[in-house]
């Protein structure tokens, strides 16, 4: 008898619970409490207003949590829900914030600097994709073999402690392969090794197209950072190699063989919490043998000195692709070709404007000017800054280009789609001003330590647009 009564009570409770789950509830509006990250959660709510069930409300909570996790906020979640008498469904989101950053596996000055970097992250909502991208940049900046990340709970709350487990290592490799405009198939390699408190970096590159090596060369650079609030970077290097250039208006090739040395210093000055100013000076000297320029051989010696200035957001705080940056250079120079001297000036910048958490508008600008009258010192027009024009080797002494990208992060930190348009206004080899516009689509994959960039662009200056051109680049860090 007792078992029968117990069974009836359990059956009654089960029926009541089921009825509660399917009973209609009225939701007039949905309100998110504690959500500060722009994930456009409102797009989820239209299907969950009006007559809904408890099961529908639970499903909405699952979808909100999943949206956080897909965007990289893997420790944030829906904590609880509340339906008021007025019909407002409040969804309380527990956003998991970084409260502390610890460094293990390394001691000394580098460890102290990593801790200082970690303090800049305190209070941010933890995002796995962003933090991993930052660690990759820190690994390169401090020439570390690797940085592993552990995420621990902070004082039994919803927030987290990040633990950097550092492997100092002794070397860092970067390999790359691409198809560069006007130069062809282009492999390159870089090797960095610490020497005391300094670093020595070796680079090698080559390009091949149309049965000829259009570029081949290498460099060795030494650099060292000083300590302090506004550290200095001292650097010096030696470089050499060969480059084949085409003189478009003469339809002839010439080659430059030689090398040079350079030295300089940069200062890293923090402005507020998010801006970094990097002023610097640099001097260099080179010797080059120029063959077939246009019909004779010239031994060209050149010396130059100039100023540098970079204005950038803190790249160690933001993911690399989200960093706005402007670099300006100005030099005075004299050479065997132009003993009376000439000037060189260059500016290169981009501004990253987030539209949503997965979409960015990125305007870019580039300008190059030289007062030199020699073709040798001019820059190609249709290079990486102006895509879609095939094998046109026009060179310019005054080149101005701009681009506009709309980058969509299809899969967080992995797959990006980037439609773009780029345009140029320049002085051609006959000293006439000209204008061209190209458009294309860039697809980017970023898988672990391998980066792929595939672009197809067209010349849209005329209607209909001319046949497009494929560009490709890939590199890997080890």
């Amino acid at each position: 008898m007792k078992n029968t009564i117990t069974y009836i009570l359990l059956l009654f409770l089960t029926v009541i619970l089921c009825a509660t789950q399917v009973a209609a509830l009225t939701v007039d509006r949905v309100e998110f409490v504690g959500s500060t990250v722009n994930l456009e959660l409102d797009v989820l709510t239209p299907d969950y207003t009006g007559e809904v069930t408890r099961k529908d409300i639970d499903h909405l909570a699952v979808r909100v949590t999943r949206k956080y996790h897909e965007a990289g906020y893997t420790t944030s979640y829906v904590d609880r829900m509340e339906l008021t008498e007025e019909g407002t469904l409040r969804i309380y989101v527990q956003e998991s914030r970084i409260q502390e950053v610890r460094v293990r596996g390394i001691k000394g000055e580098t460890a102290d600097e990593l801790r200082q970097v970690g303090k800049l992250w305190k209070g941010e909502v933890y995002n796995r994709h962003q933090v991993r991208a930052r660690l990759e940049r820190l690994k390169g900046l401090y020439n570390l073999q690797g940085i592993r990340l552990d995420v621990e709970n902070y004082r039994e709350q919803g927030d987290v402690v990040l633990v950097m487990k550092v492997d100092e290592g002794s070397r860092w490799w970067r390999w790359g392969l691409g198809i560069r405009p006007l130069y062809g198939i282009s492999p390159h390699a870089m090797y960095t090794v610490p020497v005391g408190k300094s670093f020595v970096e070796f680079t090698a590159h080559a390009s091949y197209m149309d049965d000829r090596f259009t570029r081949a060369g290498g460099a060795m650079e030494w650099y060292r950072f000083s300590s302090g609030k506004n550290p200095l970077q001292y650097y010096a290097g030696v470089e050499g190699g060969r480059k084949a250039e085409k003189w478009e208006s003469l339809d002839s090739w010439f080659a430059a063989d030689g090398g040079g040395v350079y030295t300089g210093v940069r200062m890293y000055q923090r402005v507020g919490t998010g801006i970094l100013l990097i002023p610097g000076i640099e001097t260099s000297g080179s010797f080059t043998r120029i063959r077939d320029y246009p019909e004779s051989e010239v031994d060209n010696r050149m010396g130059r000195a100039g100023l540098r200035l970079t204005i950038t957001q803190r790249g160690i705080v933001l993911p690399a692709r989200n960093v706005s940056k402007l670099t300006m250079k100005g030099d005075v120079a004299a050479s065997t070709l132009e003993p009376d001297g000439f000037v060189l000036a260059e500016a290169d910048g981009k501004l990253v404007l987030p539209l949503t958490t997965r979409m960015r508008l990125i305007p870019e600008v580039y300008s190059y000017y030289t007062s030199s009258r020699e073709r040798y010192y001019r820059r190609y027009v249709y290079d990486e800054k102006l895509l879609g024009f095939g094998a046109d080797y026009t060179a310019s002494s005054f080149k101005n280009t701009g681009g506009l990208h709309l980058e969509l992060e299809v899969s967080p930190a992995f797959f990006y789609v980037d439609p773009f348009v780029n345009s140029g206004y320049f002085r051609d080899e006959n000293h006439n001003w000209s204008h061209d516009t190209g458009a294309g689509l860039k697809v980017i994959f970023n898988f672990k330590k391998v980066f792929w960039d595939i672009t197809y662009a067209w010349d849209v200056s005329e209607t209909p647009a001319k046949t497009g051109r494929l560009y490709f680049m890939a590199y890997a860090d080890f």
Side-chain angles (χ1 to χ4, degrees):
M1 182 65 178
K2 185 178 180 180
N3 290 338
T4 302
I5 294 174
T6 301
Y7 173 76
I8 293 174
L9 288 173
L10 289 174
L11 180 61
F12 177 75
L13 289 173
T14 302
V15 171
I16 293 297
L17 288 173
C18 290
T20 302
Q21 288 292 321
V22 300
L25 303 171
T26 301
V27 175
D28 294 326
R29 60 187 295 267
V30 179
E31 180 182 291
F32 295 97
V33 181
S35 176
T36 63
V37 177
N38 181 16
L39 291 180
E40 299 177 336
L41 297 177
D42 290 341
V43 302
L44 302 176
T45 62
D47 295 336
Y48 299 92
T49 55
E51 297 295 321
V52 300
T53 65
R54 179 67 189 185
K55 185 175 181 180
D56 293 330
I57 294 175
D58 290 340
H59 184 251
L60 176 57
V62 171
R63 291 187 64 187
V64 172
T65 298
R66 184 185 302 154
K67 197 169 182 68
Y68 266 87
H69 290 186
E70 288 175 348
Y73 301 97
T74 53
T75 55
S76 298
Y77 58 93
V78 172
D79 183 45
R80 60 190 175 90
M81 297 169 292
E82 174 185 272
L83 181 59
T84 68
E85 293 180 359
E86 293 78 18
T88 298
L89 175 62
R90 292 197 180 102
I91 299 180
Y92 292 83
V93 179
Q94 175 64 58
E95 289 186 340
S96 182
R97 297 184 178 274
I98 301 170
Q99 294 297 339
E100 188 179 347
V101 178
R102 300 170 185 168
V103 179
R104 296 175 182 170
I106 188 174
K107 296 181 180 180
E109 185 176 311
T110 300
D112 293 338
E113 292 185 12
L114 290 176
R115 292 188 187 97
Q116 291 299 316
V117 170
K119 289 181 179 179
L120 299 173
W121 306 349
K122 185 176 180 179
E124 292 184 9
V125 180
Y126 168 68
N127 184 292
R128 180 177 62 185
H129 304 322
Q130 292 179 359
V131 171
R132 287 183 176 179
R134 295 172 185 177
L135 296 183
E136 284 297 312
R137 289 178 65 79
L138 289 172
K139 187 184 75 171
L141 181 62
Y142 292 99
N143 195 48
L144 303 170
Q145 183 70 18
I147 305 178
R148 292 184 294 112
L149 179 69
D150 282 349
V151 182
E152 300 178 356
N153 186 259
Y154 178 76
R155 297 181 180 177
E156 304 302 323
Q157 301 174 11
D159 295 331
V160 295
V161 175
L162 304 186
V163 182
M164 296 188 211
K165 295 184 175 180
V166 180
D167 180 6
E168 286 189 270
S170 59
R171 60 188 182 186
W172 178 42
W173 279 100
R174 169 173 287 191
W175 304 88
L177 176 66
I179 299 177
R180 292 196 59 190
L182 310 178
Y183 291 108
I185 299 174
S186 303
H188 68 269
M190 181 182 73
Y191 175 74
T192 306
V193 59
V195 179
K197 293 185 177 181
S198 304
F199 301 95
V200 178
E201 185 173 277
F202 301 88
T203 60
H205 66 268
S207 296
Y208 187 84
M209 185 172 63
D210 297 334
D211 300 323
R212 75 172 72 218
F213 279 98
T214 52
R215 297 188 317 150
M220 179 181 71
E221 181 175 281
W222 165 89
Y223 61 94
R224 177 175 180 172
F225 285 94
S226 68
S227 58
K229 182 178 179 181
N230 297 313
L232 298 174
Q233 182 193 40
Y234 305 94
Y235 64 94
V238 57
E239 59 186 355
R242 157 174 273 216
K243 182 183 289 188
E245 302 276 6
K246 188 172 184 179
W247 197 326
E248 179 77 6
S249 60
L250 296 182
D251 193 26
S252 64
W253 288 84
F254 64 91
D257 305 286
V261 295
Y262 60 91
T263 185
V265 60
R266 305 182 184 101
M267 181 175 70
Y268 290 75
Q269 183 173 3
R270 299 176 177 88
V271 179
T273 58
I275 302 298
L276 196 62
L277 293 183
I278 312 175
I281 58 174
E282 182 176 299
T283 61
S284 65
S286 65
F287 173 83
T288 309
R289 177 158 293 175
I290 311 175
R291 308 177 188 275
D292 303 320
Y293 182 73
E295 298 177 355
S296 60
E297 183 175 293
V298 179
D299 287 341
N300 187 47
R301 296 172 177 82
M302 184 177 75
R304 59 191 287 181
L307 302 176
R308 310 283 186 262
L309 175 62
T310 296
I311 306 172
T312 180
Q313 292 175 286
R314 299 288 300 278
I316 54 178
V317 176
L318 294 169
R321 63 187 320 104
N322 291 355
V323 174
S324 298
K325 184 177 182 180
L326 173 64
T327 298
M328 295 175 286
K329 303 176 182 179
D331 290 81
V332 293
S335 69
T336 305
L337 287 174
E338 292 195 82
D340 293 335
F342 55 97
V343 299
L344 299 156
E346 187 175 9
D348 191 2
K350 73 170 184 176
L351 179 64
V352 182
L353 303 172
L355 301 179
T356 69
T357 54
R358 293 196 181 185
M359 185 180 296
R360 292 169 283 274
L361 188 66
I362 308 174
E364 297 179 331
V365 294
Y366 176 80
S367 183
Y368 172 80
Y369 170 77
T370 178
S371 64
S372 168
R373 297 181 298 275
E374 294 289 337
R375 160 62 185 84
Y376 179 71
Y377 296 115
R378 297 174 187 169
R379 291 286 178 87
Y380 283 133
V381 172
Y382 304 105
D383 57 9
E384 290 90 345
K385 303 295 183 180
L386 192 54
L387 299 175
F389 297 90
D392 189 323
Y393 290 88
T394 298
S396 175
S397 60
F398 198 177
K399 169 187 172 182
N400 304 276
T401 64
L404 187 63
H405 297 252
L406 183 63
E407 185 180 85
L408 176 63
E409 194 171 355
V410 179
S411 179
F414 170 66
F415 177 44
Y416 304 80
V417 175
D418 175 12
F420 67 89
V421 60
N422 51 203
S423 188
Y425 186 61
F426 54 91
R427 189 163 56 197
D428 64 21
E429 294 183 352
N430 296 316
H431 303 286
N432 298 317
W433 286 95
S434 186
H435 174 268
D436 270 317
T437 300
L441 180 67
K442 185 189 298 285
V443 177
I444 303 167
F445 297 92
N446 186 11
F447 181 68
K448 293 185 178 180
K449 297 181 179 181
V450 181
F451 176 93
W452 303 79
D453 181 330
I454 304 171
T455 302
Y456 199 85
W458 299 264
D459 175 2
V460 297
S461 302
E462 301 179 5
T463 304
K466 295 182 180 180
T467 303
R469 188 173 180 86
L470 178 69
Y471 307 91
F472 165 81
M473 183 182 72
Y475 67 80
D477 295 327
F478 297 98

